[in-house]
Amino acid sequence: MAQVLEFKLPDLGEGLTEAEIVRWLVEVGDVVAVDQPVVEVETAKAMVEVPCPYGGVVTARFGEEGTELPVGAPLITVAVGERPAASGGSAASGGSATSGGSGAPGGSVESASEKSAGSRAEGSGNVLVGYGTSEAPGRRRRVRPGRPVSGASAAGSREVNGHAGAEAEDGPVPVISPLVRRLARQNGLDLRELTGSGPDGLILRADVEYVLRAAARSGTTAPTAEPHTPVPQPTSTAPAAQPTATVASGEIRTPLKGIRGAVADKLERSRREIPDATCWVDADATELMRARTAMNAAGGPKIALLALLARICTAALARFPELNSTVDAEAREVVRFDHVHLGFAAQTDRGLVVPVVRDAHARDAESLTAEFARLTEAGRTGTLTPAELTGGTFTLNNYGVFGVDGSTPIINHPEAAMLGVGRIVPKPWVHEGELAVRQVVQLSLTFDHRVCDGGTAGGFLRYVADCVEQPAVLLRTL
């Protein structure tokens, strides 16, 4: 007799209390292995795949794509110890999922905390999002578009997935990004009506945005789903995620949730709790740019300018460690760190994220360049883990990439300071007693006035400026 276990949305760490379902990776009736990812969710910090600690047959799913679920809410139920039934059995399971039920023939539902000792061998323990739940996580065999499928595999798919026949009739949609699917869903766009511009006709975000802009210009609506397209039925009582909606003429309301909501909460908390102050200085970056050019001309991996600025920051923090700290408001103590976990602001399609380079003080320019590139790409693709977005002790913000000279950064709570770097542009500058055209950059430092006074902040910023103007100054501290 099969035992049905209920898998709930696990604690995602870092104080996260809810997540939005982006894409289901399994269907009702699918056979899943222990530690196989079953759903892709987006939290306020990252997009992650959630692995299931049980192996068996999926009997129910809870929540449509776009639904926000709190931690502890049911995700799926799995019949442990049962083989996939014929198509009729799958249909029965699908019916229970549609109605929100989670029953299976001859089995009763149990949560993870209620499973018996006999079923404990089927599970692998606590879920560690991003790492699986055991040493050898299993992966479900997935059929890729355009890849031939053997007759046996196709028959098995029809047995396990009651909707496989309809999917084969319509053909797979050539899109792999959950962000593209969500954008299309929120605007009522049928992806089957689009021709992708990516490799092998892959539908990209640019393709969806182009169609939406064209529809807006012409005053028409975007292509909607055809009548034969199956309409998803609700599988739980959780409220569906609300897309961007036009409330009235000239008024558009966008819910503050996900990444945007997390950014709003953090900035609001920073302004509310941190008594910040800002100082700034212009610096002649001509010699720094020449040094970088010489380093890259010597061969080997190219060195990013951000990596050189990061090396300057870590050297400055070694001299002024008060700025590499945080304030414990409850204990009324300043907590100073002996390591530098350097955050850097990165603008992505999903919003502003601040990935963290661990132990930046122990890295050279080449290592920093590689890590900046890796984390930036992960931010653009939405694959940053919560661990890569938290734990920073100081933030470097290069807003010069937006073509602006200066800014007053808002501190990344709970850190104590942030260094802002503007664009580097040719400007008139007095150099060695004569007026010359030099590469000038504006540097700004916003700091928590509780951890230090203006003298310390000014000393830090002046040292950074000296290293920018004369990179040889940095060599004396290495």
Side-chain angles (χ1 to χ4, degrees), residues 390-456:
T390 55
T393 63
F394 186 91
T395 295
L396 176 60
N397 186 2
N398 181 21
Y399 45 75
V401 297
F402 302 118
V404 298
D405 295 329
S407 175
T408 54
I410 298 178
I411 296 174
N412 187 23
H413 187 281
E415 298 170 13
M418 176 185 291
L419 178 68
V421 182
R423 61 175 181 164
I424 301 176
V425 291
K427 288 184 178 181
W429 190 265
V430 177
H431 177 65
E432 296 180 351
E434 297 183 357
L435 188 63
V437 176
R438 305 286 286 182
Q439 300 291 323
V440 179
V441 62
Q442 185 178 101
L443 306 170
S444 57
L445 176 72
T446 298
F447 63 99
D448 186 337
H449 224 315
R450 295 173 298 178
V451 304
C452 68
D453 296 324
T456 300

Side-chain angles (χ1 to χ4, degrees), residues 247-308:
V247 179
S249 178
E251 181 179 289
I252 299 177
R253 296 192 176 217
T254 303
L256 278 174
K257 65 178 187 176
I259 293 291
R260 187 69 259 165
V263 171
D265 292 341
K266 197 156 198 176
L267 296 180
E268 181 181 1
R269 184 177 182 184
S270 179
R271 281 296 195 206
R272 184 175 63 249
E273 296 184 7
I274 299 178
D276 59 345
T278 303
C279 54
W280 58 89
V281 66
D282 289 341
D284 180 1
T286 305
E287 296 303 323
L288 180 66
M289 299 299 288
R290 286 176 179 172
R292 175 173 176 260
T293 300
M295 294 169 69
N296 289 337
K302 300 298 183 181
I303 302 300
L305 178 61
L306 190 63
L308 296 180

Side-chain angles (χ1 to χ4, degrees), residues 300-326:
K302 300 298 183 181
I303 302 300
L305 178 61
L306 190 63
L308 296 180
L309 292 171
R311 288 292 294 116
I312 293 174
C313 274
T314 57
L317 290 173
R319 288 195 163 210
F320 301 92
E322 297 91 338
L323 294 169
N324 190 47
S325 61
T326 188

